[in-house]
Each structure stands twice: as structure tokens, then as C-alpha cells.
PDB file of all heavy atoms in Angstrom:
ATOM      1  N   ALA A   1     -63.692  55.713   4.186  1.00 95.00           N
ATOM      2  CA  ALA A   1     -64.022  55.411   5.586  1.00 95.00           C
ATOM      3  C   ALA A   1     -65.515  55.439   5.822  1.00 95.00           C
ATOM      4  O   ALA A   1     -66.016  54.822   6.783  1.00 95.00           O
ATOM      5  CB  ALA A   1     -63.318  56.377   6.525  1.00 95.00           C
ATOM      6  N   LEU A   2     -66.290  56.139   4.991  1.00 96.00           N
ATOM      7  CA  LEU A   2     -67.709  56.301   5.208  1.00 96.00           C
ATOM      8  C   LEU A   2     -68.531  55.247   4.461  1.00 96.00           C
ATOM      9  O   LEU A   2     -69.761  55.135   4.605  1.00 96.00           O
ATOM     10  CB  LEU A   2     -68.199  57.658   4.656  1.00 96.00           C
ATOM     11  CG  LEU A   2     -67.467  58.903   5.231  1.00 96.00           C
ATOM     12  CD1 LEU A   2     -68.069  60.141   4.637  1.00 96.00           C
ATOM     13  CD2 LEU A   2     -67.524  58.955   6.782  1.00 96.00           C
ATOM     14  N   GLY A   3     -67.838  54.414   3.646  1.00 94.00           N
ATOM     15  CA  GLY A   3     -68.556  53.524   2.724  1.00 94.00           C
ATOM     16  C   GLY A   3     -69.598  52.624   3.358  1.00 94.00           C
ATOM     17  O   GLY A   3     -70.620  52.327   2.748  1.00 94.00           O
ATOM     18  N   GLY A   4     -69.322  52.107   4.569  1.00 92.00           N
ATOM     19  CA  GLY A   4     -70.259  51.170   5.180  1.00 92.00           C
ATOM     20  C   GLY A   4     -70.962  51.730   6.402  1.00 92.00           C
ATOM     21  O   GLY A   4     -71.593  51.008   7.151  1.00 92.00           O
ATOM     22  N   MET A   5     -70.894  53.064   6.575  1.00 94.00           N
ATOM     23  CA  MET A   5     -71.452  53.682   7.789  1.00 94.00           C
ATOM     24  C   MET A   5     -72.907  54.118   7.601  1.00 94.00           C
ATOM     25  O   MET A   5     -73.359  54.415   6.501  1.00 94.00           O
ATOM     26  CB  MET A   5     -70.663  54.955   8.177  1.00 94.00           C
ATOM     27  CG  MET A   5     -69.320  54.684   8.751  1.00 94.00           C
ATOM     28  SD  MET A   5     -68.551  56.241   9.300  1.00 94.00           S
ATOM     29  CE  MET A   5     -66.925  55.658   9.831  1.00 94.00           C
ATOM     30  N   LYS A   6     -73.642  54.116   8.712  1.00 95.00           N
ATOM     31  CA  LYS A   6     -74.973  54.773   8.750  1.00 95.00           C
ATOM     32  C   LYS A   6     -74.716  56.289   8.784  1.00 95.00           C
ATOM     33  O   LYS A   6     -73.684  56.745   9.134  1.00 95.00           O
ATOM     34  CB  LYS A   6     -75.732  54.353   9.968  1.00 95.00           C
ATOM     35  CG  LYS A   6     -76.017  52.821  10.051  1.00 95.00           C
ATOM     36  CD  LYS A   6     -76.917  52.382   8.929  1.00 95.00           C
ATOM     37  CE  LYS A   6     -77.250  50.902   9.053  1.00 95.00           C
ATOM     38  NZ  LYS A   6     -78.097  50.428   7.920  1.00 95.00           N
ATOM     39  N   GLN A   7     -75.735  57.033   8.451  1.00 95.00           N
ATOM     40  CA  GLN A   7     -75.610  58.488   8.281  1.00 95.00           C
ATOM     41  C   GLN A   7     -75.217  59.154   9.611  1.00 95.00           C
ATOM     42  O   GLN A   7     -74.353  60.043   9.646  1.00 95.00           O
ATOM     43  CB  GLN A   7     -76.907  59.121   7.767  1.00 95.00           C
ATOM     44  CG  GLN A   7     -76.752  60.581   7.356  1.00 95.00           C
ATOM     45  CD  GLN A   7     -75.800  60.781   6.211  1.00 95.00           C
ATOM     46  OE1 GLN A   7     -75.920  60.135   5.168  1.00 95.00           O
ATOM     47  NE2 GLN A   7     -74.796  61.674   6.344  1.00 95.00           N
ATOM     48  N   GLU A   8     -75.841  58.696  10.708  1.00 95.00           N
ATOM     49  CA  GLU A   8     -75.537  59.339  11.998  1.00 95.00           C
ATOM     50  C   GLU A   8     -74.081  59.223  12.371  1.00 95.00           C
ATOM     51  O   GLU A   8     -73.450  60.176  12.816  1.00 95.00           O
ATOM     52  CB  GLU A   8     -76.355  58.678  13.112  1.00 95.00           C
ATOM     53  CG  GLU A   8     -76.198  59.335  14.478  1.00 95.00           C
ATOM     54  CD  GLU A   8     -77.061  58.688  15.565  1.00 95.00           C
ATOM     55  OE1 GLU A   8     -77.854  57.751  15.190  1.00 95.00           O
ATOM     56  OE2 GLU A   8     -76.933  59.078  16.706  1.00 95.00           O
ATOM     57  N   LYS A   9     -73.490  58.044  12.152  1.00 95.00           N
ATOM     58  CA  LYS A   9     -72.060  57.865  12.463  1.00 95.00           C
ATOM     59  C   LYS A   9     -71.199  58.652  11.466  1.00 95.00           C
ATOM     60  O   LYS A   9     -70.195  59.257  11.863  1.00 95.00           O
ATOM     61  CB  LYS A   9     -71.720  56.374  12.385  1.00 95.00           C
ATOM     62  CG  LYS A   9     -70.277  56.071  12.797  1.00 95.00           C
ATOM     63  CD  LYS A   9     -69.996  54.594  12.887  1.00 95.00           C
ATOM     64  CE  LYS A   9     -68.578  54.346  13.352  1.00 95.00           C
ATOM     65  NZ  LYS A   9     -68.292  52.841  13.384  1.00 95.00           N
ATOM     66  N   ALA A  10     -71.593  58.660  10.205  1.00 95.00           N
ATOM     67  CA  ALA A  10     -70.825  59.430   9.222  1.00 95.00           C
ATOM     68  C   ALA A  10     -70.840  60.922   9.571  1.00 95.00           C
ATOM     69  O   ALA A  10     -69.815  61.604   9.397  1.00 95.00           O
ATOM     70  CB  ALA A  10     -71.440  59.198   7.824  1.00 95.00           C
ATOM     71  N   ASP A  11     -71.972  61.418  10.054  1.00 95.00           N
ATOM     72  CA  ASP A  11     -72.019  62.827  10.434  1.00 95.00           C
ATOM     73  C   ASP A  11     -71.006  63.157  11.530  1.00 95.00           C
ATOM     74  O   ASP A  11     -70.357  64.234  11.513  1.00 95.00           O
ATOM     75  CB  ASP A  11     -73.442  63.164  10.950  1.00 95.00           C
ATOM     76  CG  ASP A  11     -74.479  63.196   9.816  1.00 95.00           C
ATOM     77  OD1 ASP A  11     -74.053  63.285   8.635  1.00 95.00           O
ATOM     78  OD2 ASP A  11     -75.670  63.174  10.105  1.00 95.00           O
ATOM     79  N   LYS A  12     -70.878  62.303  12.461  1.00 95.00           N
ATOM     80  CA  LYS A  12     -69.891  62.475  13.541  1.00 95.00           C
ATOM     81  C   LYS A  12     -68.479  62.522  13.039  1.00 95.00           C
ATOM     82  O   LYS A  12     -67.632  63.336  13.496  1.00 95.00           O
ATOM     83  CB  LYS A  12     -70.054  61.433  14.655  1.00 95.00           C
ATOM     84  CG  LYS A  12     -71.378  61.565  15.372  1.00 95.00           C
ATOM     85  CD  LYS A  12     -71.494  60.465  16.444  1.00 95.00           C
ATOM     86  CE  LYS A  12     -72.795  60.590  17.239  1.00 95.00           C
ATOM     87  NZ  LYS A  12     -72.991  59.483  18.251  1.00 95.00           N
ATOM     88  N   VAL A  13     -68.194  61.644  12.098  1.00 94.00           N
ATOM     89  CA  VAL A  13     -66.848  61.651  11.478  1.00 94.00           C
ATOM     90  C   VAL A  13     -66.605  62.945  10.744  1.00 94.00           C
ATOM     91  O   VAL A  13     -65.543  63.563  10.881  1.00 94.00           O
ATOM     92  CB  VAL A  13     -66.657  60.440  10.530  1.00 94.00           C
ATOM     93  CG1 VAL A  13     -65.380  60.534   9.749  1.00 94.00           C
ATOM     94  CG2 VAL A  13     -66.734  59.112  11.288  1.00 94.00           C
ATOM     95  N   LEU A  14     -67.612  63.387  10.011  1.00 92.00           N
ATOM     96  CA  LEU A  14     -67.471  64.656   9.253  1.00 92.00           C
ATOM     97  C   LEU A  14     -67.312  65.845  10.151  1.00 92.00           C
ATOM     98  O   LEU A  14     -66.576  66.815   9.848  1.00 92.00           O
ATOM     99  CB  LEU A  14     -68.632  64.799   8.309  1.00 92.00           C
ATOM    100  CG  LEU A  14     -68.641  63.759   7.150  1.00 92.00           C
ATOM    101  CD1 LEU A  14     -70.007  63.742   6.473  1.00 92.00           C
ATOM    102  CD2 LEU A  14     -67.582  64.053   6.132  1.00 92.00           C
ATOM    103  N   GLU A  15     -67.968  65.821  11.325  1.00 95.00           N
ATOM    104  CA  GLU A  15     -67.803  66.899  12.288  1.00 95.00           C
ATOM    105  C   GLU A  15     -66.360  66.961  12.784  1.00 95.00           C
ATOM    106  O   GLU A  15     -65.842  68.033  13.082  1.00 95.00           O
ATOM    107  CB  GLU A  15     -68.773  66.683  13.458  1.00 95.00           C
ATOM    108  CG  GLU A  15     -70.185  66.959  13.119  1.00 95.00           C
ATOM    109  CD  GLU A  15     -71.168  66.512  14.217  1.00 95.00           C
ATOM    110  OE1 GLU A  15     -70.676  66.021  15.264  1.00 95.00           O
ATOM    111  OE2 GLU A  15     -72.405  66.605  14.010  1.00 95.00           O
ATOM    112  N   THR A  16     -65.725  65.839  12.874  1.00 96.00           N
ATOM    113  CA  THR A  16     -64.309  65.785  13.273  1.00 96.00           C
ATOM    114  C   THR A  16     -63.425  66.543  12.239  1.00 96.00           C
ATOM    115  O   THR A  16     -62.458  67.213  12.664  1.00 96.00           O
ATOM    116  CB  THR A  16     -63.813  64.332  13.368  1.00 96.00           C
ATOM    117  OG1 THR A  16     -64.643  63.614  14.278  1.00 96.00           O
ATOM    118  CG2 THR A  16     -62.360  64.242  13.876  1.00 96.00           C
ATOM    119  N   LEU A  17     -63.767  66.496  11.024  1.00 96.00           N
ATOM    120  CA  LEU A  17     -63.013  67.238  10.017  1.00 96.00           C
ATOM    121  C   LEU A  17     -63.061  68.750  10.251  1.00 96.00           C
ATOM    122  O   LEU A  17     -62.002  69.429  10.165  1.00 96.00           O
ATOM    123  CB  LEU A  17     -63.577  66.971   8.618  1.00 96.00           C
ATOM    124  CG  LEU A  17     -63.706  65.461   8.172  1.00 96.00           C
ATOM    125  CD1 LEU A  17     -64.124  65.417   6.716  1.00 96.00           C
ATOM    126  CD2 LEU A  17     -62.402  64.759   8.389  1.00 96.00           C
ATOM    127  N   LEU A  18     -64.202  69.235  10.627  1.00 95.00           N
ATOM    128  CA  LEU A  18     -64.339  70.659  10.947  1.00 95.00           C
ATOM    129  C   LEU A  18     -63.464  71.036  12.160  1.00 95.00           C
ATOM    130  O   LEU A  18     -62.868  72.104  12.236  1.00 95.00           O
ATOM    131  CB  LEU A  18     -65.765  71.054  11.176  1.00 95.00           C
ATOM    132  CG  LEU A  18     -66.727  70.901  10.000  1.00 95.00           C
ATOM    133  CD1 LEU A  18     -68.157  71.299  10.453  1.00 95.00           C
ATOM    134  CD2 LEU A  18     -66.268  71.719   8.794  1.00 95.00           C
ATOM    135  N   GLU A  19     -63.441  70.133  13.118  1.00 96.00           N
ATOM    136  CA  GLU A  19     -62.664  70.371  14.349  1.00 96.00           C
ATOM    137  C   GLU A  19     -61.203  70.580  14.049  1.00 96.00           C
ATOM    138  O   GLU A  19     -60.501  71.383  14.696  1.00 96.00           O
ATOM    139  CB  GLU A  19     -62.854  69.151  15.275  1.00 96.00           C
ATOM    140  CG  GLU A  19     -62.103  69.256  16.587  1.00 96.00           C
ATOM    141  CD  GLU A  19     -62.267  67.986  17.448  1.00 96.00           C
ATOM    142  OE1 GLU A  19     -63.221  67.209  17.168  1.00 96.00           O
ATOM    143  OE2 GLU A  19     -61.460  67.814  18.383  1.00 96.00           O
ATOM    144  N   TYR A  20     -60.652  69.862  13.077  1.00 96.00           N
ATOM    145  CA  TYR A  20     -59.266  69.900  12.776  1.00 96.00           C
ATOM    146  C   TYR A  20     -58.907  70.792  11.555  1.00 96.00           C
ATOM    147  O   TYR A  20     -57.765  70.893  11.132  1.00 96.00           O
ATOM    148  CB  TYR A  20     -58.672  68.504  12.531  1.00 96.00           C
ATOM    149  CG  TYR A  20     -58.493  67.739  13.833  1.00 96.00           C
ATOM    150  CD1 TYR A  20     -59.549  66.974  14.382  1.00 96.00           C
ATOM    151  CD2 TYR A  20     -57.299  67.774  14.540  1.00 96.00           C
ATOM    152  CE1 TYR A  20     -59.362  66.237  15.542  1.00 96.00           C
ATOM    153  CE2 TYR A  20     -57.101  67.078  15.709  1.00 96.00           C
ATOM    154  CZ  TYR A  20     -58.159  66.315  16.195  1.00 96.00           C
ATOM    155  OH  TYR A  20     -58.003  65.629  17.379  1.00 96.00           O
ATOM    156  N   GLY A  21     -59.958  71.405  10.978  1.00 96.00           N
ATOM    157  CA  GLY A  21     -59.727  72.270   9.841  1.00 96.00           C
ATOM    158  C   GLY A  21     -59.476  71.573   8.554  1.00 96.00           C
ATOM    159  O   GLY A  21     -58.854  72.151   7.614  1.00 96.00           O
ATOM    160  N   ILE A  22     -59.961  70.347   8.419  1.00 97.00           N
ATOM    161  CA  ILE A  22     -59.819  69.640   7.122  1.00 97.00           C
ATOM    162  C   ILE A  22     -60.833  70.199   6.141  1.00 97.00           C
ATOM    163  O   ILE A  22     -62.041  70.268   6.443  1.00 97.00           O
ATOM    164  CB  ILE A  22     -60.098  68.089   7.322  1.00 97.00           C
ATOM    165  CG1 ILE A  22     -59.186  67.524   8.356  1.00 97.00           C
ATOM    166  CG2 ILE A  22     -59.969  67.379   5.978  1.00 97.00           C
ATOM    167  CD1 ILE A  22     -57.707  67.701   8.068  1.00 97.00           C
ATOM    168  N   ASN A  23     -60.350  70.586   4.986  1.00 98.00           N
ATOM    169  CA  ASN A  23     -61.242  71.283   4.020  1.00 98.00           C
ATOM    170  C   ASN A  23     -61.233  70.594   2.679  1.00 98.00           C
ATOM    171  O   ASN A  23     -61.541  71.225   1.660  1.00 98.00           O
ATOM    172  CB  ASN A  23     -60.835  72.743   3.872  1.00 98.00           C
ATOM    173  CG  ASN A  23     -59.511  72.946   3.229  1.00 98.00           C
ATOM    174  OD1 ASN A  23     -58.750  72.024   3.007  1.00 98.00           O
ATOM    175  ND2 ASN A  23     -59.188  74.219   2.923  1.00 98.00           N
ATOM    176  N   HIS A  24     -60.814  69.325   2.636  1.00 98.00           N
ATOM    177  CA  HIS A  24     -60.699  68.631   1.313  1.00 98.00           C
ATOM    178  C   HIS A  24     -61.180  67.196   1.560  1.00 98.00           C
ATOM    179  O   HIS A  24     -60.616  66.473   2.432  1.00 98.00           O
ATOM    180  CB  HIS A  24     -59.240  68.694   0.869  1.00 98.00           C
ATOM    181  CG  HIS A  24     -59.019  68.152  -0.530  1.00 98.00           C
ATOM    182  ND1 HIS A  24     -58.147  68.831  -1.388  1.00 98.00           N
ATOM    183  CD2 HIS A  24     -59.492  67.108  -1.204  1.00 98.00           C
ATOM    184  CE1 HIS A  24     -58.091  68.149  -2.548  1.00 98.00           C
ATOM    185  NE2 HIS A  24     -58.918  67.077  -2.450  1.00 98.00           N
ATOM    186  N   ILE A  25     -62.143  66.721   0.835  1.00 98.00           N
ATOM    187  CA  ILE A  25     -62.718  65.392   0.923  1.00 98.00           C
ATOM    188  C   ILE A  25     -62.448  64.641  -0.391  1.00 98.00           C
ATOM    189  O   ILE A  25     -62.693  65.167  -1.452  1.00 98.00           O
ATOM    190  CB  ILE A  25     -64.196  65.403   1.196  1.00 98.00           C
ATOM    191  CG1 ILE A  25     -64.532  66.006   2.607  1.00 98.00           C
ATOM    192  CG2 ILE A  25     -64.838  64.043   1.100  1.00 98.00           C
ATOM    193  CD1 ILE A  25     -66.006  66.196   2.859  1.00 98.00           C
ATOM    194  N   ASP A  26     -62.000  63.410  -0.247  1.00 98.00           N
ATOM    195  CA  ASP A  26     -61.709  62.590  -1.416  1.00 98.00           C
ATOM    196  C   ASP A  26     -62.527  61.302  -1.313  1.00 98.00           C
ATOM    197  O   ASP A  26     -62.290  60.482  -0.441  1.00 98.00           O
ATOM    198  CB  ASP A  26     -60.212  62.253  -1.484  1.00 98.00           C
ATOM    199  CG  ASP A  26     -59.876  61.367  -2.706  1.00 98.00           C
ATOM    200  OD1 ASP A  26     -59.774  61.971  -3.794  1.00 98.00           O
ATOM    201  OD2 ASP A  26     -59.711  60.162  -2.539  1.00 98.00           O
ATOM    202  N   THR A  27     -63.466  61.083  -2.259  1.00 98.00           N
ATOM    203  CA  THR A  27     -64.272  59.905  -2.261  1.00 98.00           C
ATOM    204  C   THR A  27     -64.177  59.263  -3.647  1.00 98.00           C
ATOM    205  O   THR A  27     -63.322  59.603  -4.462  1.00 98.00           O
ATOM    206  CB  THR A  27     -65.743  60.217  -1.854  1.00 98.00           C
ATOM    207  OG1 THR A  27     -66.485  59.007  -1.755  1.00 98.00           O
ATOM    208  CG2 THR A  27     -66.395  61.147  -2.837  1.00 98.00           C
ATOM    209  N   ALA A  28     -65.066  58.308  -3.914  1.00 97.00           N
ATOM    210  CA  ALA A  28     -65.086  57.649  -5.206  1.00 97.00           C
ATOM    211  C   ALA A  28     -66.407  56.989  -5.412  1.00 97.00           C
ATOM    212  O   ALA A  28     -67.102  56.588  -4.469  1.00 97.00           O
ATOM    213  CB  ALA A  28     -63.966  56.566  -5.305  1.00 97.00           C
ATOM    214  N   ALA A  29     -66.792  56.811  -6.689  1.00 96.00           N
ATOM    215  CA  ALA A  29     -68.042  56.134  -7.007  1.00 96.00           C
ATOM    216  C   ALA A  29     -68.120  54.720  -6.451  1.00 96.00           C
ATOM    217  O   ALA A  29     -69.184  54.191  -6.123  1.00 96.00           O
ATOM    218  CB  ALA A  29     -68.237  56.127  -8.512  1.00 96.00           C
ATOM    219  N   SER A  30     -66.935  54.095  -6.285  1.00 95.00           N
ATOM    220  CA  SER A  30     -66.843  52.692  -5.866  1.00 95.00           C
ATOM    221  C   SER A  30     -66.714  52.550  -4.391  1.00 95.00           C
ATOM    222  O   SER A  30     -66.587  51.379  -3.920  1.00 95.00           O
ATOM    223  CB  SER A  30     -65.689  52.020  -6.583  1.00 95.00           C
ATOM    224  OG  SER A  30     -64.479  52.627  -6.241  1.00 95.00           O
TER     225      SER A  30
END
């Protein structure tokens, strides 16, 4: 979901993870 985002928008998405207690991130080199 972050692949095409600017950093500011990505930061807001990542803040949402903390809000809901998400503690596992899955990304990929591609």
C-alpha cells in the first residue's frame, strides 16, 4: 500500500497501525 506514496502520506498510514495495535509489517523488494 505504501509503494507509490509520498513519505508524509505513508507516515499517516503507519500511524494508523499504532492506533489499532498492528505490530507486524509485510513488504517486499518489488
Side-chain angles (χ1 to χ4, degrees):
L2 306 179
M5 287 186 184
K6 299 295 185 182
Q7 191 64 53
E8 182 179 358
K9 185 174 181 180
D11 288 344
K12 292 180 180 178
V13 172
L14 291 166
E15 287 170 3
T16 303
L17 305 186
L18 296 179
E19 179 183 344
Y20 285 89
I22 303 301
N23 68 351
H24 189 139
I25 294 175
D26 181 79
T27 186
S30 62

